[in-house]
Amino acid sequence: MRVRRCGVLMLEPGERIEFDLLDFTTGGSGLRSTATWTAFAPHLADTIPVSSAEAAALGALSPTVWIDESTFVKTHGTEVAAGLVGKSLVVEEGSDGDARDRKLREAEWRPAAAVMHFASRWRGVDTEAIQQRFVEELEGELLDRLGPAPPPVRERADASARIRLEKPARSPFDALLDGRVTCRNFAADRAMPLADFAAVLYRAYGARIVDDYAPGVQILKKGVPSAGGLHPTEAYLLVRNVEGIAPGLYHYHPVDHALEPITRLAPDEASALARRFVGAQAYLVGAHAFVIPVSRFRRNFWKYRNHAKAYRALILDVGHLSQTMYLAATELGLAAFITAAVNEVDIEDAFGLDPLEEGPLAVTGFGIRAAERTEVEFDPLHAVWKDG
Ligand SMILES: Cc1cc2nc3c(=O)[nH]c(=O)nc-3n(C[C@H](O)[C@H](O)[C@H](O)COP(=O)(O)O)c2cc1C
């Protein structure tokens, strides 16, 4: 059997602090520091603790040249070799770990970006509970602890030296922009009209035309820009309350402007799954449709191979999609939200997405705004909430 090191790996040195009573009672600080190593291994979509001997062995192994497992064991010892193979950080040729590693290599990720992406995915995180603990621990002293925020603007010239620009005459576009207020109060029990749902999806995610750019290369023209015109980000949907569409999980086909059913859900299952997707932010769960931008990494990295900016471009694409969805919803008198505090792993599991091929970068959604505000929204212009 031959082995080699996985293709993409980052080792992070850290420390574990423990209380040492003996040290404390004999005049020491009572704190014992132990050096630790964590392996960030995107092909496993996980982070894995390793010993310092394992870390040293990983540093010495080639990710390219296969060597005999017996040579590996002879050089690094049975324990280290078994540990690293068991953790799939060293892969045996033909094993599952090897298949995952090859898949990641073939995706052409920039290594640092792959580490960043896979290290920032969550499963089952309840942001409400974390926030609650944070507030309780600080006993209302949050602002005292944080200190003043950096100023809202970095001023580079004295006010007298600024070249003042004229504001445009107010247009319908200004009204649209002012009315774009992130919604945390949805009329959860009303159904969203199907035509509105379809219109928002089409304007943000629909392809207006497919262009045969070159043999074997089709690119889409959409209402939003995308790096290389590739539009690697597609909409996966959790429909909660839309007229004529059963609650459930769907994929939006941007060329056919059609929903592809994935899983049907009972209404309470849909709400529970939505809550999980958005890290338990209860005020978002009432949204009628959740639109999850999922990036197909290879579609972008096919062109931008091992490129320092490619992952950033994916994130920027999502920003354009989200803002367009916000504005399309606002124009129809609907309301939208976006959150980055999302449980990516739960989303991948629910939609059956292979994280080595595609993954969610945010959760957005839209629907009918409630008549009354119980959760805070940021509307200092009173464009939506006239009563202050
Ligand atoms: C990247 C990003 C992440 C956000 N995450 C959250 C979130 O986790 N929860 C939430 O309620 N709002 C979230 N928001 C919405 C912001 O809180 C909101 O845009 C901000 O308060 C300004 O309000 P406005 O959008 O109404 O102008 C997010 C916005 C962006 C762009």
Side-chain angles (χ1 to χ4, degrees):
M1 180 72 76
R2 299 194 308 165
V3 295
R4 68 178 177 185
R5 205 203 71 203
C6 61
V8 178
L9 178 72
M10 191 187 87
L11 290 167
E12 184 181 51
E15 77 170 340
R16 192 176 52 245
I17 300 280
E18 285 158 315
F19 183 64
D20 184 336
L21 184 61
L22 184 63
D23 179 67
F24 185 67
T25 50
T26 52
S29 69
L31 297 179
R32 189 175 54 226
S33 162
T34 312
T36 61
W37 286 98
T38 303
F40 289 81
H43 72 297
L44 303 173
D46 213 348
T47 52
I48 296 166
V50 291
S51 68
S52 53
E54 288 172 338
L58 285 167
L61 261 178
S62 168
T64 319
V65 181
W66 293 98
I67 58 165
D68 247 16
E69 198 157 4
S70 56
T71 314
F72 175 48
V73 173
K74 211 181 298 162
T75 317
H76 297 285
T78 319
E79 195 183 330
V80 167
L84 290 177
V85 170
K87 292 169 185 171
S88 280
L89 296 171
V90 170
V91 295
E92 291 178 319
E93 200 171 12
S95 66
D96 281 357
D98 181 23
R100 294 181 66 85
D101 184 42
R102 283 174 198 268
K103 204 171 202 179
L104 186 84
R105 287 169 191 250
E106 282 159 15
E108 307 282 359
W109 277 92
R110 183 85 171 177
V115 167
M116 162 71 196
H117 175 73
F118 286 98
S120 60
R121 285 154 70 249
W122 287 351
R123 179 201 289 277
V125 171
D126 181 333
T127 57
E128 295 261 276
I130 293 170
Q131 175 79 3
Q132 188 58 32
R133 274 204 301 279
F134 190 58
V135 167
E136 277 165 18
E137 272 166 27
L138 291 178
E139 292 169 345
E141 292 168 12
L142 181 64
L143 285 179
D144 292 349
R145 195 70 71 91
L146 294 179
V153 179
R154 168 94 158 95
E155 297 182 342
R156 305 299 298 256
D158 189 73
S160 62
R162 291 181 200 141
I163 304 160
R164 310 264 162 188
L165 305 172
E166 212 174 295
K167 282 194 180 161
R170 203 168 160 78
S171 78
F173 189 51
D174 291 295
L176 186 64
L177 291 172
D178 289 352
R180 185 216 52 80
V181 172
T182 294
C183 185
R184 298 189 188 87
N185 298 276
F186 288 98
D189 297 334
R190 283 177 59 195
M192 174 159 61
L194 179 57
D196 288 355
F197 168 72
V200 173
L201 274 182
Y202 180 71
R203 290 180 175 141
Y205 285 88
R208 286 158 185 266
I209 199 162
V210 181
D211 186 62
D212 287 311
Y213 183 70
V217 183
Q218 289 189 314
I219 57 175
L220 307 176
K221 180 68 183 173
K222 293 194 183 183
V224 292
S226 171
L230 292 165
H231 292 285
T233 301
E234 296 185 352
Y236 280 76
L237 301 164
L238 187 158
V239 172
R240 217 187 49 76
N241 198 357
V242 176
E243 268 170 12
I245 307 281
L249 304 178
Y250 298 85
H251 171 247
Y252 175 68
H253 192 299
V255 176
D256 279 5
H257 183 46
L259 296 185
E260 298 179 322
I262 296 177
T263 309
R264 196 147 175 177
L265 298 169
D268 54 340
E269 281 177 326
S271 299
L273 201 53
R275 185 174 183 281
R276 184 178 274 262
F277 285 2
V278 298
Q281 296 177 80
Y283 37 81
L284 301 178
V285 173
H288 300 70
F290 294 77
V291 183
I292 299 137
V294 169
S295 291
R296 293 164 55 213
F297 308 123
R298 184 89 178 87
R299 169 90 180 155
N300 175 293
F301 303 164
W302 162 79
K303 179 172 179 188
Y304 301 109
R305 290 178 190 214
N306 193 19
H307 197 297
K309 312 291 180 186
Y311 184 60
R312 193 186 295 181
L314 293 181
I315 297 170
L316 291 170
D317 278 8
V318 170
H320 290 98
L321 289 160
S322 168
Q323 171 72 350
T324 306
M325 186 202 76
Y326 261 85
L327 293 182
T330 306
E331 190 193 24
L332 295 174
L334 300 170
F337 76 87
I338 178 171
T339 173
V342 307
N343 282 311
E344 293 86 350
V345 181
D346 294 294
I347 295 169
E348 291 158 2
D349 289 352
F351 287 101
L353 305 172
D354 179 345
L356 293 177
E357 293 181 359
E358 51 195 343
L361 296 182
V363 174
T364 69
F366 63 98
I368 304 169
R369 188 177 249 119
E372 274 183 37
R373 176 171 46 168
T374 53
E375 294 289 344
V376 66
E377 292 186 11
F378 186 55
D379 182 28
L381 296 171
H382 306 295
V384 173
W385 302 101
K386 308 293 176 202
D387 58 341

